Amino acid sequence: MAESLVLHEDPRSGNCYKIKLTAALLGLPLQTKQYDIMAGETRTPDFLANINPNGRIPVLQIGQRFLPESNAACWYLAEGSALIPHDRFARADVLRWMFFEQYNHEPNIATLRFWLHFVGEANLGEERRSQLMAKRIAGEEALRVMDDHLAARGWFVGDEASLADIALYAYTHVCEAGGFRLRDYPQVCAWLDRMAALPGYVAMD
Amino acid sequence: MAESLVLHEDPRSGNCYKIKLTAALLGLPLQTKQYDIMAGETRTPDFLANINPNGRIPVLQIGQRFLPESNAACWYLAEGSALIPHDRFARADVLRWMFFEQYNHEPNIATLRFWLHFVGEANLGEERRSQLMAKRIAGEEALRVMDDHLAARGWFVGDEASLADIALYAYTHVCEAGGFRLRDYPQVCAWLDRMAALPGYVAMD
């Protein structure tokens, strides 16, 4: 890749880790610039004007262009590699799991980790507290869908690791920080081990 | 496309409409099979076993294969067409807006439409009721990001309509059913008009 790659990130974020794991598996050099989301560093006027008007990390900077959204950034990095299948249906199926991750998985599993592990249950306001049970149930449902899917296969799409696995791995492997029990999902546990054994794998900070 | 295309859908769903609009703009024939999500027709054992283990529509059936997730289905249909840009960054930028749609837009703007227009505010339980204000604020923020982005351009990515526009159009153009005011977002209104003028455009049912 000719242009320099800079990841604007908070190292506690699984969404940021997805991009670092993708780059590591592909052997791509990636610089990082760190922000503290809990201190509002992604909501400053400068960040909103120049990095991401949506006020969120991660953002992948490619030369002088900025690409928000973790899964879009992974897609940019992985095009042309084996992390995106060549077959048309399989390629769309990778996106299917990446959209599942952002809609059914991350808002429940990542959010409970953020609320319970970083914010702390005692500090949650009433509106968040009232959602704890619904997010617990929806997160367990997402893990169950994953566990059932993996019962008959080693990877989410096709015969090797793809961006679908990377997207789902990021918050699944740290889900116990949000109160989920990985031992309830044995197929997921075996898949987590396969992911950590991939050549080039890097751990989350 | 050699294989038959069947959309498993609920016509009230903007997520289903995205796929119908994509097919229409591309001139692709698309059969439909309808389900009533409010009657639980996508949670039956048969549906979970054979159509989508996640219990949701839309699902695009391609021959005998099933592809859940609206934006993944749109991607499948549009590959090789002008709805997905050829440039690598622009292609990832289309996905950026599609992930923004599923994370920041749909869970607020589509959910308030569903709760207020189809379920009815009087029928909402306490957990949903406590989220109304947060979803209103987050939905308005998503519309503001869109309006600001469109101030300097006619389409979300590049110089012509792409899947980014289709994904964001579906629930934006009916957002007033969820209590949002389109007149607060004049750039969005002008873009909605451009969308409705596209050759092959079809309206939502």
Side-chain angles (χ1 to χ4, degrees):
Chain A
M1 213 156 290
E3 293 179 283
S4 67
L5 299 169
V6 180
L7 179 64
H8 297 258
E9 65 146 355
D10 184 322
R12 296 169 292 193
S13 158
N15 284 323
C16 298
Y17 171 59
K18 288 175 198 172
I19 300 170
K20 291 191 281 191
L21 180 54
T22 301
L25 294 176
L26 294 171
L28 296 172
L30 183 66
Q31 298 175 269
T32 59
K33 181 172 179 187
Q34 301 188 348
Y35 301 79
D36 182 349
I37 53 172
M38 298 188 67
E41 292 180 2
T42 65
R43 309 290 309 181
T44 64
D46 178 61
F47 189 93
L48 295 173
N50 298 311
I51 313 290
N52 183 5
N54 198 28
R56 289 170 175 270
I57 46 87
V59 176
L60 180 63
Q61 182 179 351
I62 304 147
Q64 294 307 310
R65 295 178 296 181
F66 295 88
L67 184 60
E69 299 295 332
S70 59
N71 288 342
C74 289
W75 193 270
Y76 179 86
L77 294 178
E79 279 215 86
S81 82
L83 293 177
I84 299 177
H86 186 70
D87 173 73
R88 181 176 185 161
F89 181 85
R91 200 161 47 235
D93 210 25
V94 166
L95 286 174
R96 167 259 186 116
W97 287 108
M98 295 173 86
F99 281 109
F100 167 84
E101 189 267 336
Q102 283 288 287
Y103 197 88
N104 289 104
H105 186 284
E106 203 267 13
N108 301 303
I109 293 171
T111 298
L112 284 187
R113 171 176 173 263
F114 182 69
W115 288 358
L116 300 177
H117 187 68
F118 292 107
V119 178
E121 187 164 2
N123 301 317
L124 296 179
E126 196 48 49
E127 187 234 331
R128 286 178 167 183
R129 194 177 298 273
S130 73
Q131 294 179 61
L132 289 173
M133 182 61 74
K135 287 189 179 290
R136 172 80 51 222
I137 292 168
E140 288 175 350
E141 171 69 9
L143 291 167
R144 187 201 62 73
V145 167
M146 292 170 64
D147 206 61
D148 288 351
H149 186 72
L150 291 168
R153 61 188 70 228
W155 307 99
F156 274 88
V157 177
D159 299 329
E160 57 187 325
S162 74
L163 288 187
D165 301 282
I166 292 171
L168 286 164
Y169 180 78
Y171 284 109
T172 301
H173 88 295
V174 293
C175 71
E176 298 200 327
F180 296 95
R181 285 186 311 235
L182 278 172
R183 65 181 179 276
D184 293 345
Y185 309 97
Q187 306 294 340
V188 168
C189 289
W191 164 78
L192 293 178
D193 290 343
R194 286 191 291 278
M195 285 295 294
L198 288 172
Y201 173 87
V202 291
M204 198 162 162
D205 287 335
Chain B
M1 215 157 287
E3 293 179 283
S4 67
L5 299 169
V6 181
L7 179 64
H8 298 259
E9 66 146 355
D10 184 322
R12 295 169 294 194
S13 158
N15 284 323
C16 298
Y17 170 59
K18 287 175 199 171
I19 300 170
K20 291 191 282 192
L21 180 54
T22 300
L25 294 176
L26 295 170
L28 296 171
L30 183 66
Q31 298 175 270
T32 59
K33 182 173 178 186
Q34 301 187 349
Y35 300 79
D36 183 349
I37 53 173
M38 298 188 67
E41 291 180 3
T42 65
R43 308 289 311 181
T44 63
D46 178 62
F47 189 92
L48 295 173
N50 297 311
I51 313 289
N52 182 6
N54 198 29
R56 290 171 174 270
I57 46 91
V59 176
L60 180 63
Q61 182 179 351
I62 304 146
Q64 294 307 309
R65 296 179 295 182
F66 295 87
L67 184 61
E69 299 295 333
S70 59
N71 288 340
C74 289
W75 193 270
Y76 179 86
L77 293 178
E79 279 215 85
S81 82
L83 293 177
I84 298 178
H86 187 69
D87 173 74
R88 181 177 187 159
F89 181 85
R91 201 160 48 236
D93 208 27
V94 166
L95 286 173
R96 167 258 186 117
W97 286 108
M98 295 173 86
F99 282 108
F100 167 84
E101 189 268 336
Q102 283 287 287
Y103 196 88
N104 289 104
H105 186 285
E106 203 267 13
N108 302 302
I109 293 171
T111 298
L112 285 187
R113 172 175 173 263
F114 182 68
W115 288 359
L116 300 177
H117 187 69
F118 292 108
V119 178
E121 186 163 1
N123 301 317
L124 296 178
E126 196 48 48
E127 187 234 333
R128 286 178 167 184
R129 194 176 299 273
S130 73
Q131 295 178 61
L132 289 174
M133 182 62 75
K135 286 189 180 290
R136 172 79 52 220
I137 292 168
E140 288 175 350
E141 171 70 9
L143 291 167
R144 188 201 60 75
V145 167
M146 292 169 63
D147 206 60
D148 288 350
H149 187 70
L150 290 168
R153 60 188 71 230
W155 307 99
F156 274 88
V157 177
D159 299 329
E160 57 187 325
S162 74
L163 289 186
D165 301 281
I166 293 172
L168 287 164
Y169 179 78
Y171 285 109
T172 301
H173 88 296
V174 292
C175 72
E176 298 200 328
F180 296 95
R181 285 187 312 233
L182 278 172
R183 66 181 178 276
D184 293 344
Y185 310 98
Q187 306 295 340
V188 167
C189 289
W191 164 79
L192 293 177
D193 290 343
R194 287 191 290 276
M195 285 295 293
L198 288 172
Y201 173 88
V202 292
M204 198 163 163
D205 288 337

